Amino acid sequence: MRTVLRRSRATGPAVLAVLLGLLTVLGLAAPASASGLNDAADAMKRVQLYVDPSMSGRFSPEQADGLAKKLKDVDKPIYVAVLPDSEAYPTKNLFVDLRTKVGAAGVYAIWRGDQFQAQSTGPEVLDQATARNLAGAAYRSNGGDIDATLNEFVDGAAGRIEGVGPQHSTSIAWVLVPVLLVVLLGTGAVLLRRRARKRKEEKARDELARLRTVVDEDITAFGEELDRLDFDPGAPDADDDQRTDYTAALDAYDHAKRTMDGAERPADVRPVTEALEQGRFALATLAARREGRPLPERRVPCFFDPRHGPSTTDVPWAPPGGAPRPVPACADDAARISGGRDPHVRTVETEDGHQPYWNAGPAYSPWAGGYFGGGLLPGLLVGTVLGSALATPGYAYADDQGGGDGHDGGEYAGDDFDPDGGGSGFGGDDFGGFGGDDFSGFGG
């Protein structure tokens, strides 16, 4: 039970002593030997107000009684302390320590010496900026009058704080309903993500199965080229450069086989076709050395079928209904096009039968990306089915170096949304607010 201070009609020092004694009993003031924040917190737990005895000359017992009554009437979690500029109330962590000892969320207003400041424990009570602004406006409007400043602040804060004071219980429904909603939403989000992940995994398995057929054909074709190669590294006419080229081709073949055997997702196909492209260039270089020809220029494979080996020139080409563009071609395909014939095009199996690989869909982007690289590929494929997929906003193909699958453009940003990422601005029991952890109020 809280006893409200009554105005005494007596005058003189004796009356003042009696009033100070009353304040001590009621918890509105502390004895001269009080232990600082402990006494302040004990009083504020009961009546939301503490006045240090040394401040009674500037904030009288009558004024304290009136403010205590107002705090009770407004029924809001507003806690007020009137303190001297004293080492008993160090500025370091003043708000944090006081709030921790009181143990209640709310708005804390502290008049210390000639300074005044207010902070909120979080936006669920009152926005931090609003608490600061109310305190600043009240301080500047009342010329150092503690009573007027505190009353103006309490009036302003009470009108902006949602809910009621800590002495009122809250219906359990208001607690359980939000909790249940959060649980249901969280469960639904988990189930949706699992379903999306399962669909993604199934799609990746299907695409890898299609790619495996095509890549195995490429590996087999390259192995047959090595078998047909009439080169003996130990022959008298073989030099170190030729042996280096031959070893590079063999290593590329072995690397391609091992990588494809361990492939678990479509993106794993890209390093396989990269190895095959490097191996075929090594064979082309070896052939030039043995025949005494100039070494070939380092070029990407033939666009029409990478199994043809490195391209030798660029030729104009346009997909059906598309605009012409220069594409790299091997010598044989370049001759066929210049003679008005169709090049030998690599086709793959699709639901609509065999189609050129560029019309087989985005599943083949890792395969093509390993041969032609990320920067070149989209320009070559403009106007094709694969090119349209690569140009779709948000689509990430096999050139993605971030470790994604490369075939589905990654996940939506919503999957990475952190509902707690914004934080509360509160940081546990620690107030945010101006002045860091120090009391840095208006005035002084």
Side-chain angles (χ1 to χ4, degrees):
M1 180 178 69
R2 179 171 62 86
T3 303
V4 179
L5 290 176
R6 303 296 181 187
R7 182 185 299 275
S8 175
R9 296 181 182 177
T11 58
V15 175
L16 181 58
V18 172
L19 288 172
L20 288 176
L22 256 171
L23 288 171
T24 301
V25 173
L26 296 176
L28 293 175
S33 59
S35 56
L37 289 181
N38 288 333
D39 295 294
D42 290 342
M44 294 169 76
K45 289 177 183 177
R46 297 192 297 272
V47 294
Q48 299 175 242
L49 173 64
Y50 173 76
V51 182
D52 187 277
S54 65
M55 296 297 289
S56 60
R58 299 181 59 189
F59 190 63
S60 70
E62 293 86 355
Q63 292 170 331
D65 179 47
L67 184 60
K69 185 177 186 301
K70 174 173 287 188
L71 288 169
K72 178 183 178 182
D73 292 341
V74 299
D75 198 21
K76 301 291 184 180
I78 303 173
Y79 301 87
V80 181
V82 180
L83 312 174
D85 182 357
S86 165
E87 293 182 358
Y89 308 102
T91 59
K92 184 69 173 177
N93 296 322
L94 180 57
F95 274 93
V96 177
D97 292 344
L98 186 58
R99 182 260 188 259
T100 301
K101 290 177 179 293
V102 174
V107 175
Y108 286 73
I110 300 177
W111 185 289
R112 183 183 184 279
D114 293 317
Q115 296 180 317
F116 178 56
Q117 183 181 355
Q119 293 189 14
S120 169
T121 58
E124 70 280 358
V125 178
L126 183 68
D127 182 78
Q128 191 72 272
T130 301
R132 299 174 190 168
N133 293 339
L134 288 172
Y139 180 87
R140 289 186 291 270
S141 300
N142 293 287
D145 186 327
I146 300 177
D147 182 54
T149 299
L150 294 179
N151 275 274
E152 180 178 330
F153 174 78
V154 170
D155 289 337
R160 290 171 171 80
I161 296 176
E162 299 292 337
V164 295
Q167 64 269 32
H168 288 263
S169 61
T170 303
S171 169
I172 192 171
W174 289 101
V175 177
L176 290 181
V177 170
V179 172
L180 290 174
L181 286 175
V182 170
V183 171
L184 290 174
L185 289 173
T187 302
V190 170
L191 291 176
L192 288 175
R193 292 192 66 174
R194 286 180 179 175
R195 182 179 300 176
R197 186 181 298 112
K198 183 177 180 181
R199 288 198 300 264
K200 180 179 178 181
E201 292 172 351
E202 291 175 351
K203 179 182 178 183
R205 285 194 295 268
D206 292 341
E207 292 182 351
L208 180 59
R210 279 185 282 168
L211 286 172
R212 190 177 295 278
T213 299
V214 175
V215 176
D216 285 346
E217 292 175 356
D218 289 1
I219 295 174
T220 299
F222 184 55
E224 291 173 350
E225 288 183 50
L226 290 172
D227 289 340
R228 292 193 299 268
L229 185 65
D230 182 19
F231 177 72
D232 180 6
D237 59 342
D239 58 29
D240 289 342
D241 289 335
Q242 293 175 10
R243 281 188 284 270
T244 298
D245 293 335
Y246 181 68
T247 300
L250 292 178
D251 289 345
Y253 177 66
D254 289 338
H255 179 69
K257 289 195 301 181
R258 290 195 308 270
T259 304
M260 195 61 212
D261 288 342
E264 297 179 351
R265 55 182 186 164
D268 295 337
V269 167
R270 177 181 175 120
V272 178
T273 52
E274 284 179 341
L276 294 175
E277 184 273 331
Q278 294 168 1
R280 286 196 169 92
F281 182 76
L283 287 185
T285 303
L286 174 60
R289 294 187 196 279
R290 296 180 68 191
E291 297 169 7
R293 294 183 285 104
L295 297 182
E297 178 186 358
R298 190 69 165 91
R299 292 176 57 91
V300 296
C302 176
F303 171 76
F304 301 105
D305 188 343
R307 293 176 300 181
H308 296 168
S311 60
T312 59
T313 187
D314 291 340
V315 296
W317 172 83
R325 83 291 308 272
V327 298
C330 63
D332 182 62
D333 281 334
R336 292 178 66 86
I337 290 175
S338 65
R341 294 176 296 167
D342 292 330
H344 293 296
V345 174
R346 177 65 182 275
T347 61
V348 296
E349 184 66 37
T350 71
E351 295 178 355
D352 298 323
H354 276 81
Q355 295 284 336
Y357 72 85
W358 53 75
N359 283 337
Y364 289 89
S365 62
W367 175 85
Y371 280 128
F372 302 105
L376 180 64
L377 186 59
L380 292 176
L381 296 172
V382 170
T384 68
V385 174
L386 179 55
S388 298
L390 297 181
T392 301
Y395 183 87
Y397 61 100
D399 194 43
D400 179 14
Q401 299 301 314
D405 285 353
H407 66 283
D408 60 357
E411 297 181 358
Y412 289 102
D415 287 347
D416 299 325
F417 176 70
D418 178 8
D420 298 322
S424 64
F426 185 67
D429 283 331
D430 190 7
F431 294 149
F434 52 102
D437 287 334
D438 296 334
F439 182 88
S440 178
F442 302 103

